[in-house]
Amino acid sequence: MIKYIAKRLLMLIPILLVVTFVIFTLLYITPGDPAKMILGTTATDEAVAQLRTELGLDQPFLIQYLNYMKDLIFHFDIGTSYSTRQPVIQEIMNCLPATLKLAFSSILIAVVVGIPIGVISAVKQYSIFDNIVMVLGLVGISMPVFWLGLLLILFFSVQMGWLPASGYSSWQQMIMPAVTLSAQSIAVVARMTRSSMLEEIRKDYIRTVRMKGQTEMRITIFHGLRNALIPIVTVIGTQFGSLLGGAVMCETIFSIPGIGRLMVDSIKARDFPVVQGGVLFIAIGFALVNLIVDIIYAFLDPKIKAQYK
């Protein structure tokens, strides 16, 4: 298992190299001059040229990229923000707690709600409950995050006055953002759970266990759900990785100072080092989540554990 983990961590290196090159290239060809954005429209050409030289923006693309990679590889430095002149890693770490709090809250709701709904839908296939769940699942997947967030603010905050419209410091402030962000994940987890459970409960070993006289609840939970968990865990891991970087709209609507909102503001300000650092962090986070999912496979299926050895 340790050798497998080490191998997967080494495989991160070429992935991150590709990610850094792609995002660096996209930002390089993006219209807009960071120096003009910082100094404003009234700045003279001489002041803009001097700032471009200080930031290294006057050098060719390849030189800029090599300098960035040299600092990243040898000094673990992902740059300095053009706007705040603070290290990018400090900017990201300041926003990380808010993003992690929102992502964990959302995926927890998705798991607690999505898995039981999917299991019940599979056991009661084609029932009224199953049909309602499938329709709501389709709506949840199709519903834009910003639309649902605005609806929740209008009803629970503006009309009813039950919950605060913004913030993330208290659990009351986290209810609407977490529910908004988890809506699509609930639908995805529920649909995958239903599909995986339907495949398992039709297998021969389920009929054998039922003939031994075990209760339906025990058969469903300890036999059917346990063997159906691998695709479910895969979906949960993918959803959590997406939440780390996909909470942009939710963080903007509810005024949460997370990484997604930081990257949007940095793109508007042409603060390229912050954008590059944010994308790099999200790529690392997504890869680590996938690694954790693979490790969980070994505890769910002994055959997979044997392959890791």
Side-chain angles (χ1 to χ4, degrees):
M1 179 65 73
I2 296 177
K3 291 177 63 177
Y4 174 78
I5 295 174
K7 181 180 179 181
R8 286 294 301 269
L9 291 176
L10 289 176
M11 289 174 60
L12 281 177
I13 297 176
I15 295 175
L16 296 180
L17 288 176
V18 173
V19 169
T20 55
F21 180 79
V22 171
I23 188 61
F24 200 95
T25 303
L26 291 176
L27 292 176
Y28 182 82
I29 63 178
T30 299
D33 190 348
K36 291 183 178 179
M37 294 291 294
I38 295 172
L39 296 176
T41 56
T42 59
T44 62
D45 293 338
E46 291 78 8
V48 172
Q50 181 179 356
L51 183 58
R52 285 179 57 85
T53 302
E54 293 176 1
L55 299 177
L57 298 175
D58 59 331
Q59 299 177 348
F61 166 77
L62 188 59
I63 300 299
Q64 293 186 38
Y65 178 70
L66 291 177
N67 289 335
Y68 176 77
M69 293 305 299
K70 180 182 67 175
D71 293 336
L72 178 62
I73 295 174
F74 295 105
H75 304 287
F76 298 102
D77 181 12
I78 55 178
T80 302
S81 171
Y82 293 160
S83 303
T84 64
R85 300 302 175 94
Q86 298 292 324
V88 173
I89 188 64
Q90 181 178 335
E91 297 277 337
I92 293 176
M93 288 300 146
N94 291 337
C95 298
L96 180 61
T99 297
L100 288 180
K101 188 176 182 179
L102 181 58
F104 275 112
S105 302
S106 301
I107 202 65
L108 180 61
I109 294 175
V111 171
V112 171
V113 176
I115 292 181
I117 288 177
V119 171
I120 297 173
S121 295
V123 174
K124 299 182 179 296
Q125 187 182 14
Y126 303 131
S127 64
I128 297 177
F129 179 85
D130 183 33
N131 293 331
I132 293 175
V133 167
M134 288 300 99
V135 172
L136 292 178
L138 181 61
V139 173
I141 294 175
S142 307
M143 186 183 304
V145 172
F146 70 89
W147 185 73
L148 177 59
L150 292 175
L151 285 181
L152 293 179
I153 291 175
L154 287 174
F155 183 75
F156 290 103
S157 183
V158 178
Q159 297 293 333
M160 307 303 296
W162 291 347
L163 297 171
S166 62
Y168 74 101
S169 57
S170 65
W171 66 269
Q172 294 95 337
Q173 292 175 322
M174 286 299 299
I175 291 177
M176 286 197 295
V179 171
T180 300
L181 195 60
S182 65
Q184 293 184 350
S185 297
I186 291 174
V188 172
V189 172
R191 290 167 67 91
M192 177 54 69
T193 302
R194 178 183 182 273
S195 176
S196 184
M197 280 294 297
L198 284 174
E199 183 179 349
E200 289 297 324
I201 62 179
R202 293 170 179 170
K203 291 183 177 179
D204 293 338
Y205 77 90
I206 294 293
R207 287 192 289 269
T208 302
V209 173
R210 186 176 288 115
M211 290 173 62
K212 291 182 177 180
Q214 296 192 17
T215 62
E216 287 297 324
M217 180 175 292
R218 183 176 180 84
I219 293 172
T220 301
I221 297 177
F222 292 97
H223 296 280
L225 181 59
R226 182 179 179 181
N227 289 287
L229 276 178
I230 288 182
I232 299 172
V233 170
T234 304
V235 168
I236 293 173
T238 304
Q239 289 296 309
F240 181 73
S242 301
L243 292 177
L244 290 176
V248 177
M249 296 302 301
C250 189
E251 291 177 352
T252 303
I253 293 171
F254 294 100
S255 300
I256 298 176
I259 294 177
R261 185 179 176 186
L262 173 67
M263 292 179 61
V264 171
D265 294 340
S266 300
I267 292 173
K268 294 178 181 178
R270 299 298 187 272
D271 198 343
F272 294 159
V274 176
V275 180
Q276 293 163 3
V279 172
L280 186 63
F281 173 83
I282 293 172
I284 294 174
F286 207 102
L288 292 178
V289 168
N290 287 334
L291 176 59
I292 294 173
V293 169
D294 288 345
I295 295 173
I296 294 175
Y297 286 168
F299 294 95
L300 297 176
D301 191 340
K303 293 186 293 185
I304 297 179
K305 187 175 183 178
Q307 292 177 0
Y308 289 165
K309 292 180 180 180

